[in-house]
Amino acid sequence: MKYAKMLGLLAVAAAALMAFAGTASATQVTSPSGTLYTGALTATNVGGLTLHGVADVTCNNSTVSGSIESHGASVTAKGKIGTGNLTFTNCNQHVKVLAEGSLEAHASGGAGGGTLTSSGAEVTVEFTTIFGNVHCVFGTSNTLVGNVTAATENGTHATLDIDSSPIPVKSGSFLCGSSAEWTGNYKVTSPTGLRLD
């Protein structure tokens, strides 16, 4: 009898934890504040973006855009980046996007901000060393790429701050190492007033 009661209590506790976990992971994108947003998102870099590795690769221009495919109760906000909608140009080394992948936002802190992860993105970088040309392919798989800061007002812009995010190496020379650190900043140009709630 005690055994049966313990099993019952464990089942109730497990159900409660699962319900809490489902609620905690919910993320909605709003713009303006309080209004669910399901349209396209576009962000442009502010200042240079740098991949710090065996050689620093800096790009002065980058854009990313895509649409929100899911968000709401018990799910996180996520969506695919459209083909050709992840760009890196005006770089000091050769950079080419092989796959755009998808992004997923996770609200945290209660101030409309959160974190952003990337999956399925692949970028190849070619640079010259004393050993000749080196190719490195960097890829993401649920990789934390930065922190989202909410827009302060409906007409202002949210930002993505990339602070030494480690991007794994998928293939290439041993000179590529196992990962490189990505730094930089993006501004969400559309929509304005974006928040993660």
Side-chain angles (χ1 to χ4, degrees):
M1 189 65 158
K2 286 184 179 178
Y3 181 69
K5 284 183 179 178
M6 285 179 63
L7 282 178
L9 287 172
L10 284 172
V12 170
L17 283 172
M18 287 173 63
F20 176 75
T23 303
S25 66
T27 299
Q28 295 181 337
V29 177
T30 62
S31 173
S33 182
T35 302
L36 199 62
Y37 183 80
T38 56
L41 294 172
T42 303
T44 304
N45 70 300
V46 178
L49 300 167
T50 302
L51 192 64
H52 305 274
V54 66
D56 284 353
V57 179
T58 299
C59 295
N60 293 318
N61 302 103
S62 178
T63 59
V64 58
S65 60
S67 296
I68 301 167
E69 296 179 348
S70 67
H71 59 165
S74 301
V75 298
T76 53
K78 58 185 174 181
K80 292 179 182 173
I81 300 171
T83 302
N85 290 343
L86 174 61
T87 65
F88 298 95
T89 56
N90 196 11
C91 305
N92 66 341
Q93 307 290 344
H94 180 70
V95 177
K96 182 179 179 182
V97 176
L98 303 177
E100 289 79 5
S102 61
L103 295 172
E104 185 169 351
H106 311 266
S108 63
T115 59
L116 194 68
T117 57
S118 169
S119 293
E122 289 188 12
V123 176
T124 182
V125 174
E126 179 184 353
F127 53 91
T128 303
T129 70
I130 59 172
F131 302 104
N133 288 347
V134 174
H135 293 266
C136 304
V137 177
F138 296 89
T140 61
S141 177
N142 197 30
T143 304
L144 176 65
V145 292
N147 295 306
V148 177
T149 301
T152 55
E153 297 175 1
N154 288 338
T156 61
H157 302 275
T159 59
L160 170 64
D161 303 309
I162 305 164
D163 184 17
S164 300
S165 296
I167 308 300
V169 172
K170 290 192 71 175
S171 63
S173 164
F174 72 94
L175 293 173
C176 300
S178 60
S179 67
E181 291 187 346
W182 190 30
T183 60
N185 296 281
Y186 282 86
K187 175 174 71 175
V188 177
T189 54
S190 178
T192 57
L194 183 136
R195 294 175 53 88
L196 303 177
D197 295 313

